[in-house]
Amino acid sequence: MGVEPTIFVVDDDAGVSRALASAGALLGHPVRAFASAAEFLAAYDPAAPGCLVLDVKMPGMTGLELQRKLADDGVRLPVVMVSGHADVRIAVEAMTLGALTLLEKPFRLDELMAHLRTALARDAAARVAAERQDAAAARLAALTPKEREVLERIARGATNKDIAAELGLSVRAVEDRRARLMKKMDARSVADLVWVISATGDPGA
């Protein structure tokens, strides 16, 4: 069983934490609240799925500073920013750093829940895509250099005859390599193969 997606809250406003606890209960997700960015950074495991509700203004590291650090560290947890002092500059910076939205306090519970649903769905989709990418990359890494030579030419649309001529091989040898690499890549057609290659994000494949 996978880890339950969690709604992480970093806000020194106890009222926001109470609202998030209510939203989490209604959505069926646990809520973990932190009063500062330092507390969150000390406890958060980047492998944990979920989303982050982040206040802009806090003592110590601000919400925007925490958002920037997470982005620099490669943490892609979807962020819902909240603020009682939002302005255009803050909104633009938050969105530039990848925030899903910026809600101005006091916000409506239904509005918050709608954004939390979107953030949790976005995180789940991103994690599935990352798992597929890792699996595809593992299949690609299992190919020998000779199989990879054939793969690169198949991806360019070359026929077995074209590949044989280009590599100085017999058509039978190309067919053998092609059969082996198709099995390793778990592909039953060229379309499957192209999908696996594209999933790796490897432009050289």
Side-chain angles (χ1 to χ4, degrees):
M1 181 179 294
V3 178
E4 176 74 13
T6 298
I7 300 168
F8 298 97
V9 184
V10 183
D11 195 323
D12 59 338
D13 183 339
V16 170
S17 295
R18 286 195 295 273
L20 265 296
S22 298
L26 291 170
L27 292 171
H29 290 281
V31 175
R32 290 188 65 188
F34 303 88
S36 71
E39 284 185 20
F40 172 76
L41 289 171
Y44 178 63
D45 175 0
C51 66
L52 174 61
V53 179
L54 186 55
D55 188 26
V56 172
K57 290 194 175 181
M58 295 182 293
M61 182 182 286
T62 68
L64 289 173
E65 289 170 341
L66 175 57
Q67 189 186 12
R68 189 177 300 106
K69 174 173 175 50
L70 293 175
D72 290 345
D73 291 347
V75 176
R76 303 298 179 218
L77 200 63
V79 173
V80 174
M81 296 292 287
V82 295
S83 176
H85 312 279
D87 59 26
V88 173
R89 182 192 64 77
I90 290 173
V92 169
E93 187 169 355
M95 304 303 272
T96 300
L97 288 169
L100 191 66
T101 190
L102 190 153
L103 294 178
E104 191 164 1
K105 299 177 185 177
F107 41 75
R108 300 194 317 271
L109 185 60
D110 60 342
E111 183 182 20
L112 171 66
M113 289 175 60
H115 288 296
L116 290 177
R117 286 192 188 95
T118 300
L120 291 166
R122 184 173 294 187
D123 182 64
R127 290 176 188 276
V128 168
E131 288 174 3
R132 288 177 177 169
Q133 184 173 10
D134 290 345
R139 293 180 204 168
L140 194 62
L143 299 183
T144 66
K146 290 181 179 179
E147 290 164 349
R148 180 117 179 182
E149 284 181 337
V150 173
L151 172 65
E152 291 167 357
R153 287 159 178 79
I154 293 173
R156 294 204 302 261
T159 65
N160 287 353
K161 187 176 179 180
D162 295 334
I163 297 170
E166 191 172 342
L167 296 178
L169 300 169
S170 68
V171 172
R172 179 58 184 271
V174 172
E175 290 172 344
D176 288 345
R177 288 188 194 179
R178 184 177 185 136
R180 287 197 300 273
L181 76 87
M182 293 289 282
K183 184 176 182 180
K184 289 182 179 178
M185 297 290 280
D186 194 23
R188 286 178 289 186
S189 66
V190 172
D192 286 347
L193 197 60
V194 171
W195 184 90
V196 175
I197 293 169
S198 64
T200 66
D202 182 350

